[in-house]
Amino acid sequence: VQTVLSLLFSDRVHVTLRSDPLGRGVSLMVILPRGRFSGDVRQRIQEVLTRRLGGEVLNYHLAMGADDQARLHFYLSSPSSVVEEVPTAELQEEIGQLIRTWDDRLGDALVQEVGEEEATRLAAAYADGFNEEYRAATPVETAVLDVLELERLRAHRRVVGITLSEP
């Protein structure tokens, strides 16, 4: 309960692993921001857990209350010794990367290219301008180049720009 309450309104991923007292399996609680949860995300988290813990999911439960968390409870047929073998921090990191959106990755790539302050401005200015088709078909690295080109056009008060490159 303390873990759940301490993570209210947090955008962090938290994983709690606990072995069954009778040695029959492992229970896990995965807490993530509610806005990042989907059926696809649950499936991908389940795949990570079964791969990393070497068992199969016997049961899972989703708890979504009025707060901003989605809590997934899994029970796996893994050996109890796996609790000591698999670092929780590694699971949290892997699941955290798994739930990152295209916008998150664009923001990170912009920070690498132009620094934190300018990246925040550019992400706010351009992120809503990319439709789902563009996001699905375009790697983040290419989107960064597009954003920078749009900024160059704006700075020179131009409406047309051509960039030639080999595929």
Side-chain angles (χ1 to χ4, degrees):
V1 171
Q2 286 179 332
T3 300
V4 171
L5 292 175
S6 70
L7 292 168
L8 283 176
F9 308 108
S10 170
D11 61 354
R12 291 186 1 198
V13 169
H14 182 81
V15 176
T16 302
L17 265 131
R18 192 173 50 117
S19 59
D20 181 295
L22 300 175
R24 297 175 297 190
V26 176
S27 60
L28 291 102
M29 178 176 61
V30 179
I31 300 173
L32 59 143
R34 183 180 185 146
R36 300 297 173 98
F37 177 78
S38 69
D40 180 54
V41 165
R42 187 213 45 90
Q43 183 64 40
R44 289 188 291 157
I45 290 172
Q46 182 172 318
E47 289 167 5
V48 166
L49 296 177
T50 56
R51 178 177 43 81
R52 294 293 305 271
L53 301 173
E56 70 176 271
V57 173
L58 300 174
N59 192 9
Y60 79 90
H61 173 74
L62 169 64
M64 290 177 71
D67 57 18
D68 69 336
Q69 293 178 340
R71 291 184 310 280
L72 292 160
H73 300 268
F74 292 94
Y75 188 76
L76 279 76
S77 64
S78 302
S80 296
S81 62
V82 79
V83 172
E84 289 84 33
E85 296 169 7
V86 177
T88 305
E90 285 181 15
L91 278 176
Q92 287 177 176
E93 176 65 27
E94 190 168 349
I95 293 170
Q97 290 301 317
L98 186 138
I99 67 168
R100 291 183 57 73
T101 65
W102 190 89
D103 287 340
D104 294 335
R105 294 190 317 273
L106 175 63
D108 291 347
L110 284 169
V111 167
Q112 293 290 323
E113 194 67 33
V114 297
E116 185 95 29
E117 188 175 316
E118 182 67 359
T120 301
R121 184 188 74 75
L122 292 174
Y126 291 100
D128 291 339
F130 298 123
N131 63 27
E132 289 303 315
E133 291 82 11
Y134 179 89
R135 292 167 196 248
T138 307
V140 167
E141 297 77 18
T142 302
V144 168
L145 297 174
D146 291 346
V147 166
L148 296 176
E149 181 62 24
L150 289 168
E151 278 296 292
R152 279 190 286 280
L153 289 171
R154 188 183 65 75
H156 293 100
R157 300 180 193 267
R158 295 187 180 162
V159 294
V160 175
I162 297 173
T163 302
L164 302 174
S165 64
E166 292 189 38

